[in-house]
Amino acid sequence: MSHKQIKSSRHIFLFMIVLFCIWCAVFYTFITFWAPLQRDAFSYFYHIQYFVTGLSKGTFPFWSHLWEYGLPNDFFLRRFNDLNPLYLVLVLFYKIGLPFPPVYMVFQILYFFIGTVFFFLLAKKIFKNNVLAYIAFSALLFSSMGTQIFNSFIILVFTPMTGFFYFLVSFTEKTKKQHLIGAVFCLMILLSTYIPFYFLTIFLTFLISFIIVYWHKFCLILKKYLAFIVKHKLLSLICIFLIIASLTPGVLMLLSGKSELALAVRHGAVSDTNVLQVTEQSVSAGGIVLPFIVENMFTNFLHISLDRIYIPAFIIICFFAGIFNRLKRQHIFWALWIVLIYMIGLNNATPVYPFLYKHVFFFKLFRNSIFFTWLGLLPLIILFGTSLARQIIFYDSEDQKKKIYHIISTTLGFFTFIFFLTSIDNVNWLLFICSILIFLLLISCILKKLHPHKPIFLTLFSLLIIIPALNPYLHLSQNYQRKQRINYPPLNLDFSYKRSIDINDKLVTYVATRSVNRMYAHITPSIFKNYANHLIFIYDNTQLITPGFNNFSAIEKSMQNFSNIAFVESKDTNNRLINPSAPANANVITEDSKEFSVIDFSPNYITFTTDFPSEKFIIYTDSYHKDWKAYINGQETEILRSNLSFKGVLAPAGQNTITLRYINPQLMGLKIILWIIFICTLGYYIHCCRRKRHDA
């Protein structure tokens, strides 16, 4: 590459690709599964794998039979948002035979890279400068944002959220159709997730900050939007419809929170019957503790974890230097937006969160305000620091007094940062050296000894972003690395007569059906596990019980001894079986036989044949749910809640074909419609972009 000024975004993009490749090398241990996925990252990996495996076999998994003895899968589908058309790429590669773990990891990494590219484009729109956009991109890439691929779901929210803000700014600048469709598509992705409330909070604080700082500009933008709506009425109505349609899965999930699900840990002691509601959060329980974050940002890397926040020193030095420079309206906007998010993230440490929890409904539906640190504070601090860096890097005044003032203010900022580093323990000497080099780089720009558009500046800057980040991230890899590569086996969705679920002495589950959760609270774990790990029981006797039955000791004794009596919730005496001469123990089915054989199975249904000499009662130890239906020889019959938690059906004597099927026609129809809507929206956006390129 020549030493001419870099004016092309293409050249900047090459720098971005190189930096991204270096990032991948730094996190090689995690990417290649020498370090295990942590916390929510593993849960999301598992549920996306379940979803992709089901689709690759031609089944949309509405029911999750491998999780907590079975429950509706929509809760997990909402968490990672099954409506995102990009998951079809995962299905395609898995279908052609590639192993899921590496395909999933590549998908996550590229999804994160798309988010960083959106961040670059957003910064470019804001600052009108490729170099500043590259600075923001680099700082974000080597911040702790990317570490959340291996620890949480944050990237699945960050990427569409960043895309939304990019398209929003682009549409505000030039009201083009493709910008509107892009913003709407990203908004649809965000609103149809399990918890869209982090985004909604960040967006509302953005609106408040923008209105306060840029009231006159806000009014002009509104007029601009209204003019577009008047000119494009049909497109505007379609966009409103798309946004409303994307809200329906979340609304249905909110309504389902009052039915069959139980989220004991999340719901806590909330008096509301909706299990999705959470208790009012405290600063010590998931809140943002800023002193701890700041103190540990540049120290104690020997014990660094994926929960730590890291922002490159370059941004922090520019941040401190900017304090001593003249602040502009844009700086006030960034500061106000950051403060608003931080005040909410403090939970009950200030009156802000308690007020919002009491008066704004969706604050009752999410917790873990610490996630605002990654989704809100981290990217905003980088944009704020980049905005302050503009005054130093692109200083263009010939006034000697102003130049001297800029040098002094930058020097004060540098020494303030150095003083901050010396006030904390165990700071690596490499950070001090890099900080001095960053200071010299900034001073060179002020003195015009180094031009920001030249490749040498971008190279030096990139090195000063990468080298300090190696210390925390290499320690991070060492702290999580295992002696052997982690093996995540493929999910087997075929039927097995025995499940293997590890249950601790104290049963606590994040989500399950309410009946299973009730059993967790009253049945000895080892007894429940030993019983429920067998999937099929055949009984000769039934005892009819009422919905309020709470003789758990009788249920526990029956489970412990595998007694030949099933407790069946029914008022119909035809479901009563009495066979005094029958064996003392129920028949536990462990393999196919003439009497009982499973002939077809998927997450959504099971079909088996029976050939009993007399009437029997069959219990399938998968959670009871009202949307399951039973069919005997094609005729619908009743599925009965059995042993308080499971599905049961009365099988006639002789040869029969029995199917148990999870059926929710409304949900299935809605899913099909929404899939078509999401795919068509993405397709229309691509069409608009291609037409724009063709016209150009």
Side-chain angles (χ1 to χ4, degrees):
M1 188 182 293
S2 68
H3 291 280
K4 295 179 180 180
Q5 289 187 347
I6 298 177
K7 298 179 180 179
S8 169
S9 295
R10 183 179 301 174
H11 294 154
I12 291 284
F13 190 69
L14 288 176
F15 269 90
M16 293 166 63
I17 293 294
V18 171
L19 221 60
F20 176 68
C21 292
I22 294 172
W23 181 91
C24 291
V26 170
F27 287 97
Y28 172 84
T29 301
F30 288 94
I31 293 171
T32 56
F33 295 103
W34 283 95
L37 296 171
Q38 302 293 313
R39 298 174 59 180
D40 282 342
F42 173 73
S43 175
Y44 277 69
F45 167 85
Y46 171 85
H47 293 297
I48 293 174
Q49 184 181 22
Y50 186 83
F51 170 71
V52 169
T53 304
L55 285 186
S56 68
K57 293 180 178 294
T59 299
F60 194 100
F62 288 101
W63 184 263
S64 178
H65 70 291
L66 296 179
W67 188 272
E68 300 295 351
Y69 304 100
L71 74 161
N73 199 31
D74 195 54
F75 177 82
F76 300 117
L77 296 176
R78 291 280 58 72
R79 293 181 85 186
F80 64 83
N81 193 359
D82 60 304
L83 297 173
N84 189 337
L86 296 181
Y87 287 124
L88 294 176
V89 177
L90 278 175
V91 177
L92 174 64
F93 283 106
Y94 185 70
K95 183 69 175 177
I96 64 177
L98 295 177
F100 180 79
V103 170
Y104 172 82
M105 185 58 72
V106 170
F107 174 85
Q108 285 279 57
I109 290 169
L110 291 179
Y111 202 67
F112 169 59
F113 182 63
I114 291 171
T116 59
V117 171
F118 274 137
F119 195 74
F120 167 83
L121 295 173
L122 175 63
K124 184 179 175 182
K125 287 289 181 183
I126 294 170
F127 303 122
K128 312 295 183 188
N129 186 293
N130 281 343
V131 174
L132 290 173
Y134 176 74
I135 288 172
F137 163 84
S138 307
L140 180 75
L141 183 65
F142 279 90
S143 72
S144 55
M145 179 66 77
T147 65
Q148 295 311 295
I149 294 173
F150 321 111
N151 193 49
S152 76
F153 62 90
I154 284 174
I155 300 304
L156 297 179
V157 178
F158 167 76
T159 293
M161 182 177 71
T162 310
F164 168 78
F165 278 108
Y166 161 67
F167 287 119
L168 179 66
V169 173
S170 298
F171 180 72
T172 303
E173 187 179 84
K174 293 182 180 180
T175 51
K176 301 292 185 181
K177 289 182 182 179
Q178 66 267 23
H179 297 151
L180 176 62
I181 297 299
V184 168
F185 179 74
C186 291
L187 189 58
M188 290 165 64
I189 296 292
L190 290 163
L191 294 180
S192 53
T193 56
Y194 160 53
I195 303 182
F197 310 119
Y198 294 110
F199 161 73
L200 288 176
T201 303
I202 291 169
F203 180 66
L204 289 175
T205 52
F206 157 75
L207 274 183
I208 293 169
S209 304
F210 193 84
I211 290 171
I212 291 174
V213 179
Y214 295 106
W215 169 250
H216 179 67
K217 185 179 290 187
F218 175 74
C219 294
L220 294 176
I221 291 171
L222 278 184
K223 291 179 180 178
K224 195 174 185 179
Y225 286 176
L226 288 172
F228 179 87
I229 292 171
V230 170
K231 185 178 179 180
H232 303 279
K233 295 184 181 67
L234 180 59
L235 178 62
S236 301
L237 288 173
I238 291 173
C239 290
I240 293 170
F241 166 76
L242 293 175
I243 293 170
I244 294 173
S246 66
L247 285 168
T248 53
V251 172
L252 291 176
M253 184 177 172
L254 184 61
L255 295 175
S256 72
K258 296 187 176 182
S259 56
E260 297 275 345
L261 289 181
L263 290 91
V265 175
R266 173 188 168 86
H267 190 52
V270 180
S271 58
D272 195 279
T273 56
N274 195 316
V275 297
L276 296 177
Q277 288 209 7
V278 299
T279 55
E280 186 174 332
Q281 303 295 292
S282 65
V283 69
S284 60
I288 299 174
V289 185
L290 190 60
F292 175 81
I293 292 172
V294 172
E295 183 180 346
N296 288 277
M297 190 177 296
F298 300 112
T299 185
N300 200 23
F301 293 142
L302 288 175
H303 305 289
I304 190 172
S305 70
L306 288 167
D307 296 319
R308 290 271 288 275
I309 300 294
Y310 175 80
I311 299 175
F314 183 93
I315 294 295
I316 306 300
I317 291 174
C318 290
F319 193 85
F320 280 121
I323 295 173
F324 298 100
N325 278 315
R326 180 183 176 185
L327 293 179
K328 298 181 179 180
R329 183 174 293 192
Q330 187 183 91
H331 303 147
I332 297 171
F333 165 72
W334 295 124
L336 179 59
W337 194 0
I338 290 170
V339 168
L340 288 177
I341 293 175
Y342 176 59
M343 293 290 284
I344 293 171
L346 285 173
N347 288 345
N348 66 349
T350 71
V352 177
Y353 171 79
F355 175 84
L356 294 172
Y357 181 86
K358 184 177 180 180
H359 297 286
V360 181
F361 83 95
F362 66 76
F363 276 87
K364 295 182 176 68
L365 300 173
F366 75 104
R367 53 182 186 154
N368 291 326
S369 299
I370 188 66
F371 291 150
F372 282 122
T373 310
W374 281 279
L375 291 172
L377 298 185
L378 191 153
L380 289 179
I381 288 172
I382 289 174
L383 289 174
F384 191 5
T386 305
S387 178
L388 293 168
R390 179 210 288 265
Q391 299 180 112
I392 303 171
I393 296 172
F394 287 94
Y395 178 76
D396 58 358
S397 176
E398 296 297 333
D399 189 316
Q400 289 299 315
K401 289 184 178 180
K402 288 184 178 180
K403 184 178 290 188
I404 293 171
Y405 175 79
H406 255 69
I407 293 173
I408 293 172
S409 63
T410 303
T411 304
L412 286 173
F414 165 72
F415 280 107
T416 303
F417 179 68
I418 294 298
F419 177 77
F420 162 71
L421 291 182
T422 56
S423 68
I424 53 181
D425 298 326
N426 302 320
V427 177
N428 191 277
W429 58 268
L430 182 63
L431 183 58
F432 284 103
I433 294 175
C434 289
S435 299
I436 294 170
L437 294 175
I438 290 169
F439 170 68
L440 294 176
L441 183 72
L442 296 175
I443 294 298
S444 298
C445 290
I446 296 174
L447 296 174
K448 296 186 178 180
K449 300 295 183 181
L450 189 63
H451 199 286
H453 283 291
K454 288 188 176 181
I456 184 63
F457 172 84
L458 293 179
T459 303
L460 291 174
F461 164 77
S462 300
L463 290 173
L464 292 174
I465 287 287
I466 295 167
I467 292 172
L470 292 178
N471 190 22
Y473 293 145
L474 292 180
H475 278 100
L476 188 70
S477 296
Q478 292 173 7
N479 291 344
Y480 285 94
Q481 186 171 355
R482 298 293 184 265
K483 293 181 179 180
Q484 292 183 336
R485 193 188 301 268
I486 307 301
N487 179 33
Y488 294 105
L491 279 181
N492 184 1
L493 300 189
D494 296 332
F495 180 79
S496 173
Y497 281 103
K498 192 168 184 178
R499 62 163 61 92
S500 178
I501 296 180
D502 293 327
I503 299 180
N504 301 322
D505 292 336
K506 191 173 183 180
L507 284 167
V508 178
T509 180
Y510 183 75
V511 58
T513 59
R514 292 193 179 188
S515 55
V516 167
N517 197 65
R518 190 174 169 216
M519 295 288 277
Y520 282 175
H522 297 94
I523 301 295
T524 303
S526 58
I527 294 174
F528 185 82
K529 173 184 178 179
N530 191 44
Y531 175 83
N533 278 2
H534 299 279
L535 270 79
I536 304 293
F537 289 84
I538 310 298
Y539 290 91
D540 293 291
N541 300 283
T542 62
Q543 178 179 327
L544 303 187
I545 61 175
T546 61
F549 183 84
N550 60 3
N551 189 352
F552 294 102
S553 60
I555 298 285
E556 183 173 297
K557 184 177 180 181
S558 176
M559 287 182 172
Q560 184 177 20
N561 299 324
F562 287 12
S563 301
N564 196 357
I565 182 168
F567 293 83
V568 179
E569 191 175 295
S570 176
K571 295 180 180 179
D572 188 351
T573 56
N574 291 324
N575 293 318
R576 179 180 287 120
L577 288 182
I578 301 176
N579 191 346
S581 61
N585 299 115
N587 182 10
V588 182
I589 304 297
T590 57
E591 61 182 3
D592 289 340
S593 65
K594 181 182 177 182
E595 286 192 333
F596 186 96
S597 179
V598 174
I599 60 173
D600 199 5
F601 179 81
S602 87
N604 304 327
Y605 66 84
I606 179 173
T607 299
F608 49 85
T609 59
T610 63
D611 189 3
F612 298 121
S614 61
E615 201 172 29
K616 304 287 185 180
F617 192 82
I618 302 171
I619 286 185
Y620 173 36
T621 58
D622 191 70
S623 298
Y624 174 86
H625 191 278
K626 61 182 178 62
D627 288 332
W628 276 84
K629 308 294 180 185
Y631 301 89
I632 299 179
N633 301 323
Q635 299 296 314
E636 185 173 347
T637 189
E638 185 180 10
I639 286 186
L640 301 167
R641 189 192 300 267
S642 306
N643 286 353
L644 296 184
S645 299
F646 304 119
K647 304 177 183 70
V649 63
L650 195 63
Q655 295 182 356
N656 300 283
T657 300
I658 300 175
T659 298
L660 309 181
R661 185 181 297 275
Y662 182 64
I663 297 177
N664 189 328
Q666 293 83 7
L667 181 61
M668 294 177 184
L670 177 66
K671 194 73 69 176
I672 293 170
I673 293 170
L674 289 174
W675 263 90
I676 293 172
I677 287 174
F678 273 71
I679 292 172
C680 289
T681 304
L682 179 59
Y684 183 68
Y685 169 73
I686 295 171
H687 167 72
C688 289
C689 291
R690 291 183 65 183
R691 189 171 65 180
K692 177 189 175 184
R693 185 176 300 174
H694 180 267
D695 293 342

